Amino acid sequence: MRFELLPTQRELFEVPHDEPTDLALYQGGVGSGKTTAGVLLGYTLATLYPGSRGLVGAATHTLLRDTTRARWAEIVPRRDIARWTADPDNLVLRNGSQVWFRHLSSPERLASMEFSWIHVEEGSQVSERVFRALLARLRYNRFQSPPGLARRYRLFITSNPEESYGYLHKAFIAPETARANWRYIRAPTTENRFLMAHKPDYVDLIRQTVDDEYYRIFVEGETGGGAEGRVYRNFDRAQHVDKQVQYDPDRSLHLSFDFNVDFMVALAIQKRPDDVTWVVDEVVIRHGSDTDALCVAILERFAGQRASIVVHGDASGHARDHRGGRSDYAIIRERLKTLPGVKLSIKRRRSNPLVRERTNAVNFRLQNSAGKKRLFVAPHCRYLIRSLEHTKFVPGRFEKEKVRDPKDPRFVIDHPGDALDYFIGDEYPFKREKLGVVSYR
């Protein structure tokens, strides 16, 4: 079989040093050919080194099944397959090489395993502990080296960039830790000429729907955020906090809830003309939070509401037992329907949007790549403002940092930001166009 490789894919294949172990981070934008590069390299190693054993891993079983494993099934010719078992998920080639497919939820799952090569899909979603455990697994030696090919262990990571500096940046990119056999390869989306020929407007469509930081990370393939790692990177108090943001009882009111034991919040949000959104108020109860009490405070605050009310919030509130078996949303419905003449509706979804998707949607509303701002906050929403200014990502992960000790200098109440996420996720979801597989000939 012959494959035409992109320039950065060829960098991943060709090892420019004589070290016995090669470690490579292949970091690229959406549609840059990362998964295909990893699968092709894994298949090549399994073919060239008879009797080898490789691991293909990802953070979750779903990601592994729907991306990398599916691509293996498309690429590997049936004539090369001796068997492919489902449990355990092992592919055995006719030359005796094995390829194991495993999700990498914890280092303990890797105990006693040995491999000659390892491919980690979406390494930014895998913890540093797992990564370090994988390095210790590169020791399987019962495989053959054809004449002219040196025996070399290889671990290669294909990944979207980290949104803030994490362990991948430290290990592969930071100049103070640079090593000859720890290689970093950056693959921008625009390099994929197969994709550009198939869909010439792909990159332009992305630019129209994301902010500059997202474009730099997920199209140009650069690590984002630096050490600061702010979740709401586009929020600027001077530009987004506006005294003109005021409540209008004759305009539809959106209430977005975040439910917690120690802190409960509802944001009051109204849509304005010209696709502008105002956060007009926040209702907060701290210490011994109670959905019923929060609703009482909302009824007092918005007793004069004359237009409709739409409720948004944490999806878990639909299932949570609360005071006699009622869910949070059941309590909200019972309380808020008492407003005379006001139509009440509740947005319902099975699960919350991914943190990455909903926070990118908020950042896009705060400011898009053209510099347009469409989300503004009233000055008295002090908890939300603090949340937007100070909430950070866990280094190297798409998770919000949770610091609950008020004495900790990193302490910030992130719940108001979550409530805003849920509203934006419902009304202005971040839509990343799904592209079909691009064939390589």
Side-chain angles (χ1 to χ4, degrees), residues 314-325:
D314 189 347
S316 66
H318 291 289
R320 181 180 300 183
D321 289 334
H322 191 98
R323 296 183 115 186

PDB file of all heavy atoms in Angstrom, residues 314-325:
ATOM      1  N   ASP A 314     -28.307  23.753  34.844  1.00  0.00           N
ATOM      2  CA  ASP A 314     -27.620  22.478  35.005  1.00  0.00           C
ATOM      3  C   ASP A 314     -28.588  21.324  34.739  1.00  0.00           C
ATOM      4  O   ASP A 314     -29.649  21.228  35.360  1.00  0.00           O
ATOM      5  CB  ASP A 314     -27.086  22.404  36.435  1.00  0.00           C
ATOM      6  CG  ASP A 314     -26.173  21.221  36.669  1.00  0.00           C
ATOM      7  OD1 ASP A 314     -26.141  20.315  35.821  1.00  0.00           O
ATOM      8  OD2 ASP A 314     -25.509  21.201  37.714  1.00  0.00           O
ATOM      9  N   ALA A 315     -28.219  20.440  33.803  1.00  0.00           N
ATOM     10  CA  ALA A 315     -29.090  19.325  33.440  1.00  0.00           C
ATOM     11  C   ALA A 315     -29.362  18.397  34.615  1.00  0.00           C
ATOM     12  O   ALA A 315     -30.411  17.742  34.668  1.00  0.00           O
ATOM     13  CB  ALA A 315     -28.480  18.541  32.284  1.00  0.00           C
ATOM     14  N   SER A 316     -28.460  18.333  35.581  1.00  0.00           N
ATOM     15  CA  SER A 316     -28.653  17.438  36.720  1.00  0.00           C
ATOM     16  C   SER A 316     -29.856  17.839  37.562  1.00  0.00           C
ATOM     17  O   SER A 316     -30.394  17.021  38.309  1.00  0.00           O
ATOM     18  CB  SER A 316     -27.404  17.416  37.599  1.00  0.00           C
ATOM     19  OG  SER A 316     -27.189  18.683  38.206  1.00  0.00           O
ATOM     20  N   GLY A 317     -30.305  19.067  37.453  1.00  0.00           N
ATOM     21  CA  GLY A 317     -31.445  19.522  38.233  1.00  0.00           C
ATOM     22  C   GLY A 317     -32.749  18.838  37.878  1.00  0.00           C
ATOM     23  O   GLY A 317     -33.703  18.862  38.655  1.00  0.00           O
ATOM     24  N   HIS A 318     -32.817  18.188  36.725  1.00  0.00           N
ATOM     25  CA  HIS A 318     -34.034  17.480  36.334  1.00  0.00           C
ATOM     26  C   HIS A 318     -34.177  16.159  37.089  1.00  0.00           C
ATOM     27  O   HIS A 318     -35.286  15.665  37.278  1.00  0.00           O
ATOM     28  CB  HIS A 318     -34.033  17.202  34.828  1.00  0.00           C
ATOM     29  CG  HIS A 318     -34.186  18.441  33.997  1.00  0.00           C
ATOM     30  ND1 HIS A 318     -35.369  19.136  33.914  1.00  0.00           N
ATOM     31  CD2 HIS A 318     -33.303  19.103  33.215  1.00  0.00           C
ATOM     32  CE1 HIS A 318     -35.216  20.178  33.109  1.00  0.00           C
ATOM     33  NE2 HIS A 318     -33.968  20.177  32.671  1.00  0.00           N
ATOM     34  N   ALA A 319     -33.049  15.600  37.508  1.00  0.00           N
ATOM     35  CA  ALA A 319     -33.103  14.277  38.119  1.00  0.00           C
ATOM     36  C   ALA A 319     -32.876  14.301  39.620  1.00  0.00           C
ATOM     37  O   ALA A 319     -33.193  13.345  40.309  1.00  0.00           O
ATOM     38  CB  ALA A 319     -32.046  13.371  37.477  1.00  0.00           C
ATOM     39  N   ARG A 320     -32.356  15.370  40.140  1.00  0.00           N
ATOM     40  CA  ARG A 320     -31.954  15.407  41.536  1.00  0.00           C
ATOM     41  C   ARG A 320     -33.159  15.399  42.474  1.00  0.00           C
ATOM     42  O   ARG A 320     -34.086  16.187  42.330  1.00  0.00           O
ATOM     43  CB  ARG A 320     -31.117  16.661  41.798  1.00  0.00           C
ATOM     44  CG  ARG A 320     -30.624  16.768  43.230  1.00  0.00           C
ATOM     45  CD  ARG A 320     -29.818  18.022  43.432  1.00  0.00           C
ATOM     46  NE  ARG A 320     -28.645  18.042  42.564  1.00  0.00           N
ATOM     47  CZ  ARG A 320     -27.740  19.007  42.582  1.00  0.00           C
ATOM     48  NH1 ARG A 320     -27.886  20.016  43.408  1.00  0.00           N
ATOM     49  NH2 ARG A 320     -26.713  18.961  41.770  1.00  0.00           N
ATOM     50  N   ASP A 321     -33.151  14.511  43.449  1.00  0.00           N
ATOM     51  CA  ASP A 321     -34.171  14.512  44.501  1.00  0.00           C
ATOM     52  C   ASP A 321     -33.896  15.671  45.444  1.00  0.00           C
ATOM     53  O   ASP A 321     -32.777  15.883  45.867  1.00  0.00           O
ATOM     54  CB  ASP A 321     -34.162  13.191  45.277  1.00  0.00           C
ATOM     55  CG  ASP A 321     -34.701  12.050  44.446  1.00  0.00           C
ATOM     56  OD1 ASP A 321     -35.503  12.315  43.531  1.00  0.00           O
ATOM     57  OD2 ASP A 321     -34.301  10.918  44.707  1.00  0.00           O
ATOM     58  N   HIS A 322     -34.903  16.368  45.783  1.00  0.00           N
ATOM     59  CA  HIS A 322     -34.709  17.544  46.628  1.00  0.00           C
ATOM     60  C   HIS A 322     -35.975  17.793  47.426  1.00  0.00           C
ATOM     61  O   HIS A 322     -37.027  18.060  46.861  1.00  0.00           O
ATOM     62  CB  HIS A 322     -34.391  18.761  45.734  1.00  0.00           C
ATOM     63  CG  HIS A 322     -33.920  19.959  46.507  1.00  0.00           C
ATOM     64  ND1 HIS A 322     -32.592  20.267  46.651  1.00  0.00           N
ATOM     65  CD2 HIS A 322     -34.612  20.912  47.165  1.00  0.00           C
ATOM     66  CE1 HIS A 322     -32.481  21.384  47.371  1.00  0.00           C
ATOM     67  NE2 HIS A 322     -33.693  21.787  47.687  1.00  0.00           N
ATOM     68  N   ARG A 323     -35.902  17.654  48.713  1.00  0.00           N
ATOM     69  CA  ARG A 323     -37.036  17.918  49.599  1.00  0.00           C
ATOM     70  C   ARG A 323     -38.267  17.116  49.191  1.00  0.00           C
ATOM     71  O   ARG A 323     -39.098  17.566  48.424  1.00  0.00           O
ATOM     72  CB  ARG A 323     -37.379  19.413  49.616  1.00  0.00           C
ATOM     73  CG  ARG A 323     -36.280  20.272  50.186  1.00  0.00           C
ATOM     74  CD  ARG A 323     -36.738  21.707  50.236  1.00  0.00           C
ATOM     75  NE  ARG A 323     -36.836  22.153  51.604  1.00  0.00           N
ATOM     76  CZ  ARG A 323     -37.324  23.321  51.952  1.00  0.00           C
ATOM     77  NH1 ARG A 323     -37.798  24.134  51.052  1.00  0.00           N
ATOM     78  NH2 ARG A 323     -37.368  23.671  53.204  1.00  0.00           N
ATOM     79  N   GLY A 324     -38.345  15.945  49.653  1.00  0.00           N
ATOM     80  CA  GLY A 324     -39.527  15.131  49.391  1.00  0.00           C
ATOM     81  C   GLY A 324     -39.543  14.497  48.026  1.00  0.00           C
ATOM     82  O   GLY A 324     -40.611  14.113  47.543  1.00  0.00           O
ATOM     83  N   GLY A 325     -38.399  14.389  47.375  1.00  0.00           N
ATOM     84  CA  GLY A 325     -38.335  13.698  46.095  1.00  0.00           C
ATOM     85  C   GLY A 325     -38.557  14.578  44.885  1.00  0.00           C
ATOM     86  O   GLY A 325     -38.476  14.112  43.765  1.00  0.00           O
TER      87      GLY A 325
END
